[in-house]
Amino acid sequence: MTTTGRPLPEAPNRIELAIGGMTCAACAARIEKKLNRMDGVSATVNYATEKATVRYADGVTPDDLIETVQKTGYQAALPAPPTAEPAADPLEGPRTRLWVSVALSVPVVLLAMVPAWQFDYWQWLSLTLAAPVVVWGGLPFHRAAWTNLRHGAATMDTLVSLGTLAAFGWSLWALFFGDAGMPGMTHPFRLDITRTDGAGNIYLEAAAGVTVFILAGRYFEARSKRTAGAALRALLELGAKEVAVLRDGVETLIPVEQLTVGDRFVVRPGEKIATDGVVDEGSSAVDASMLTGESVPVEVGPGDGVVGATINAGGRLIVSATRVGADTQLARMADLVEQAQSGKAAVQRLADRISGVFVPIVITLAVGTLGWWLGNGAGPTAAFTAAVAVLIIACPCALGLATPTALLVGTGRGAQLGVLIKGPEVLESTRRVDTVVLDKTGTVTSGRMTLVDVVPASGEDRAELLRLAGAVEAASEHPIARAVAAGASEAGPLTPVTGFTNLEGLGVTGTVDGRVVLVGRARLLRAREIDVPPEVERAVSEAEAAGRTAIVAGWDGRARGVLAVADVVRPTSRAAVARLRALGLTPVLLTGDNTTVARAIAAEVGIDEVIAEVLPAGKVDVVKRLQAQGRSVAMVGDGVNDAPALAQADLGLAMGTGTDVAIEASDLTLVRGDLDAAVDAIRLSRRTLGIIRGNLFWAFGYNVAALPLAAAGLLNPMIAGAAMALSSVFVVANSLRLRRFRPAADDRGL
């Protein structure tokens, strides 16, 4: 994505266009510039997602926007509506083009580089194999170069197209009109620098080899961009598909799309709530953690609002729909993700940056070389040989390999360590970030409730308190009840319970060993005329002050003790926070949970800055506010509620134990599911970026060193081919160093 420098008023209409034909970030900048020149139009073009987000005034139509893009030399269309048909694989064509080109090019390169294999007429076999590679395999580069030429621009595609066509064209001339087509012609293996007239030289291996290298780099780049829009699809798939609507007192199962505002629908335990609404009848606990980040289910009853896609964890509810379709909170979150993605600052590929200056210089040098030789009385053959040599030696073999090889090795090593890097754009962001925002639930903490303390009243037995409370809670499906039951089961088998009753929003009761046991809020016990002594109340207050959820257990007319549950900190979180600080990052804890819980967790792991009780849209605002302060922000999260903030952040890291939405909205996925993986992700990304920069430096240095020799006519095909091969081998070998990368927790870490 690129940004314009001039502010534009907010136009009333908004549309997205699918853009086709872009090959680099410069293409996105060109389209964006043309759209923004239209009156009443404000546009951003995202190269990664291949979309243009356009706001336009009433006097402008979508057809006008599409026409402007087409006049710029690219394709534009309204996004296709979702369909049940499986989408065609967008990589199938590039993959076929790459592998066919590889199969045809390998014999060409081997014959050219090994004189002993150069049989009679080998050069004509090379021509037969190389022609489809250069013409058909390189067609995307030739098309892009032609589009750039029509608009007075030059990119890497221009250099690839010019170099390969020049090498191929000269080879055709040498074969048909020079000496290269003679039977028994060979390329001798010589390492001396001598001036030749070029009539016996062919460059088919250079033309085919460069095409294959660049095709491979573009394919791997396209593969990394393939899932750019998957966050929105995953987000919308969270919602319920069908809903039981009450009409004339009868339940009717209909698709959720047919719901209208005011419809009353039934939500049974364990089902997703179909849309945003208000509870009419029933009470229950609603698990909204995927949307709000709140680890404890929210108790709801008549008059309380509920959100679509949350899960009914308790009793039967009848809900009246208040918002449907695009107006729901889920749909608005999807829109937030999309806006954040389209608003993310773009990072151009480093090779494109270099080529932006390098390409015009090379073309100018080639033309100057031709003119200089002709002006000094050399024959046209020698002049054209030198000019073509300039283009061939400048062909970006190593430049084309610099990014994809390092990315492949780096991502492969990352996968072994539980880190998935989505593409080259991610790497530069890791170098710039100075602030890391950590979601609490499921990131710093485990994301599930755990029994952490049992406090018996005076004279009570701790084991007996846990045994009786655990037996009753085992009959409930509430997350807090499951935590207590799991803790009790560790001490031994749970006792059977009879007469179990779930008291919605208050607790549970049941008979264990002839005793009627109540477990729940203190007011439940008081309502049942059970005495709650001051020491129990103090224990409840102390647990809540520590950020825990406290429940009271009692029987035979008296409260017997307090059980505290909490979303516990992951064992690796404290050390990981320290390592993030060592990388120069300032940690910030961000959560939808309450302030008391958040501060307790932050103190435990060593985080000073805490931002709590934040809604999903608020998380995006927090990231934007930090960015407005001049910070470069990394965000680590795992839930749907984190997806918009992950997309907005300069670097998004999703815990792989979280939701698909968070994973797809992020730049890096941490498969291991602990915060130490975030440390390794940033270290590995920075290391990979360093390797890429080293590759680009040496590849570019090879071109700069060889260009004067080529311009002087002192570079024979054998040395040119060997130098090109050595530069590529160096780039690959340098990239393979990433295989030695070790985790931060490993003493051998690099």
Side-chain angles (χ1 to χ4, degrees):
M1 197 279 302
T2 56
T3 56
T4 57
R6 60 190 184 96
L8 287 169
E10 186 81 351
N13 306 305
R14 180 176 179 272
I15 194 174
E16 277 198 344
L17 299 177
I19 306 296
M22 294 191 295
T23 59
C24 65
C27 300
R30 192 173 304 123
I31 298 169
E32 188 174 282
K33 185 177 180 181
K34 291 288 187 181
L35 287 171
N36 282 317
R37 283 180 176 173
M38 299 174 66
D39 291 334
V41 173
S42 172
T44 58
V45 180
N46 191 319
Y47 170 55
T49 59
E50 297 182 335
K51 286 184 179 180
T53 302
V54 188
R55 291 191 179 275
Y56 58 97
D58 290 332
V60 181
T61 67
D63 288 339
D64 296 333
L65 302 172
I66 292 173
E67 184 180 358
T68 298
V69 175
Q70 290 174 341
K71 285 181 179 178
T72 311
Y74 303 90
Q75 300 87 49
L78 296 174
T83 173
E85 295 290 329
D89 183 1
L91 296 181
E92 184 176 355
R95 185 165 49 240
T96 301
R97 191 182 299 272
L98 170 61
W99 288 117
V100 170
S101 298
V102 168
L104 294 174
S105 297
V106 169
V108 176
V109 174
L110 289 176
L111 286 173
M113 302 304 290
V114 185
W117 293 356
Q118 294 171 2
F119 54 86
D120 287 348
Y121 301 110
W122 69 274
Q123 66 272 42
W124 295 101
L125 175 62
S126 293
L127 174 64
T128 304
L129 296 174
V133 176
V134 176
V135 177
W136 173 76
L139 189 59
F141 311 129
H142 306 322
R143 283 176 177 164
W146 174 244
T147 299
N148 293 328
L149 178 63
R150 286 166 49 205
H151 295 90
T155 65
M156 183 71 82
D157 292 310
T158 308
L159 190 56
V160 173
S161 180
L162 270 178
T164 54
L165 290 179
F168 186 69
W170 183 261
S171 299
L172 288 178
W173 184 91
L175 285 168
F176 286 99
F177 303 105
D179 302 330
M182 301 294 292
M185 186 279 290
T186 60
H187 275 174
F189 188 81
R190 296 185 319 192
L191 295 179
D192 59 315
I193 298 176
T194 56
R195 184 176 290 118
T196 67
D197 65 2
N201 297 337
I202 59 174
Y203 301 90
L204 294 172
E205 78 285 356
V210 167
T211 301
V212 166
F213 283 137
I214 306 303
L215 277 175
R218 292 289 171 84
Y219 170 75
F220 292 123
E221 180 185 21
R223 191 172 68 174
S224 72
K225 288 163 45 181
R226 184 177 180 182
T227 59
L232 299 179
R233 292 193 298 272
L235 187 57
L236 294 173
E237 285 172 1
L238 280 177
K241 303 298 185 287
E242 293 182 320
V243 57
V245 179
L246 279 176
R247 290 178 178 165
D248 299 326
V250 179
E251 290 186 24
T252 305
L253 199 64
I254 63 170
V256 73
E257 293 83 6
Q258 296 179 12
L259 264 181
T260 59
V261 174
D263 279 343
R264 300 174 77 240
F265 58 92
V266 178
V267 188
R268 293 179 173 79
E271 291 182 344
K272 290 181 180 178
I273 296 174
T275 193
D276 297 359
V278 175
V279 177
D280 283 349
E281 300 177 22
S283 59
S284 180
V286 174
D287 182 359
S289 60
M290 294 180 71
L291 289 173
T292 67
E294 176 65 54
S295 55
V296 179
V298 180
E299 303 290 345
V300 297
D304 292 330
V306 291
V307 178
T310 56
I311 299 173
N312 178 12
R316 181 177 183 269
L317 296 175
I318 296 179
V319 180
S320 179
T322 56
R323 288 192 295 263
V324 296
D327 296 328
T328 64
Q329 183 171 332
L330 182 66
R332 290 203 302 269
M333 287 181 64
D335 190 53
L336 280 172
V337 173
E338 192 162 17
Q339 289 183 34
Q341 284 183 338
S342 65
K344 183 184 290 187
V347 182
Q348 290 185 343
R349 286 188 62 186
L350 296 176
D352 283 327
R353 292 179 180 177
I354 291 174
S355 67
V357 177
F358 186 52
V359 173
I361 291 175
V362 169
I363 294 173
T364 302
L365 182 59
V367 173
T369 299
L370 177 65
W372 189 86
W373 280 101
L374 289 175
N376 280 275
T381 300
F384 276 102
T385 298
V388 169
V390 168
L391 289 175
I392 291 171
I393 205 64
C395 271
C397 286
L399 277 176
L401 284 171
T403 295
T405 53
L407 190 64
L408 279 177
V409 180
T411 52
R413 181 60 182 143
Q416 294 174 336
L417 300 175
V419 175
L420 302 181
I421 304 172
K422 289 201 173 175
E425 303 87 0
V426 174
L427 304 176
E428 209 167 355
S429 299
T430 65
R431 180 178 58 87
R432 295 196 309 265
V433 293
D434 52 37
T435 302
V436 57
V437 177
L438 305 174
D439 172 56
K440 180 186 75 68
T441 306
T443 302
V444 176
T445 66
S446 65
R448 62 181 183 274
M449 304 302 288
T450 305
L451 180 65
V452 294
D453 200 7
V454 179
V455 183
S458 297
E460 300 295 332
D461 181 63
R462 182 184 184 279
E464 183 70 0
L465 171 64
L466 182 58
R467 183 181 74 85
L468 295 179
V472 178
E473 293 283 47
S476 173
E477 291 300 317
H478 196 285
I480 292 177
R482 289 201 297 268
V484 173
S489 65
E490 292 178 1
L494 297 176
T495 307
V497 62
T498 58
F500 174 82
T501 304
N502 187 12
L503 307 169
E504 300 293 349
L506 294 173
V508 295
T509 181
T511 302
V512 184
D513 293 341
R515 294 172 175 171
V516 178
V517 180
L518 280 84
V519 185
R521 300 178 186 273
R523 71 171 184 265
L524 167 64
L525 276 70
R526 293 193 187 97
R528 297 297 178 94
E529 298 182 350
I530 291 179
D531 177 45
V532 181
E535 63 172 316
V536 172
E537 292 180 346
R538 281 196 304 273
V540 170
S541 299
E542 290 171 0
E544 291 176 346
R548 298 168 177 175
T549 299
I551 57 174
V552 182
W555 58 86
D556 295 340
R558 186 171 182 272
R560 307 290 174 165
V562 176
L563 301 101
V565 299
D567 182 11
V568 296
V569 171
R570 293 179 186 270
T572 58
S573 291
R574 184 173 182 83
V577 168
R579 291 187 180 109
L580 288 170
R581 288 185 184 277
L583 290 173
L585 303 175
T586 301
V588 177
L589 188 67
L590 178 64
T591 179
D593 219 333
N594 67 71
T595 303
T596 301
V597 173
R599 292 199 176 279
I601 296 296
E604 188 173 347
V605 298
I607 296 177
D608 300 324
E609 190 172 348
V610 178
I611 305 173
E613 299 180 17
V614 179
L615 296 176
K619 290 191 176 186
V620 179
D621 294 336
V622 168
V623 173
K624 288 181 178 178
R625 186 171 72 245
L626 292 171
Q627 290 170 329
Q629 295 171 2
R631 300 195 196 182
S632 185
V633 180
M635 169 76 187
V636 186
D638 76 323
V640 174
N641 61 301
D642 302 315
L646 286 168
Q648 174 63 37
D650 299 283
L651 179 69
L653 300 93
M655 306 293 278
T657 52
T659 64
D660 290 342
V661 180
I663 291 170
E664 295 299 344
S666 67
D667 302 305
L668 294 160
T669 300
L670 313 176
V671 179
R672 290 211 312 262
D674 67 70
L675 201 52
D676 247 344
V679 180
D680 291 336
I682 293 174
R683 289 177 58 251
L684 177 60
S685 296
R686 289 179 176 180
R687 179 74 171 164
T688 304
L689 178 65
I691 292 291
I692 289 176
R693 287 179 176 274
N695 287 347
L696 291 172
F697 172 80
W698 289 109
F700 185 63
Y702 147 76
N703 288 117
V704 170
L707 278 173
L709 296 177
L714 298 174
L715 204 61
N716 69 47
M718 214 64 234
I719 290 182
M724 189 176 294
L726 287 174
S727 68
S728 300
V729 168
F730 173 83
V731 163
V732 173
N734 194 40
S735 299
L736 289 174
R737 293 169 56 211
L738 287 167
R739 297 170 70 177
R740 302 199 304 270
F741 179 89
R742 294 289 182 269
D746 192 326
D747 290 338
R748 297 171 297 167
L750 296 181

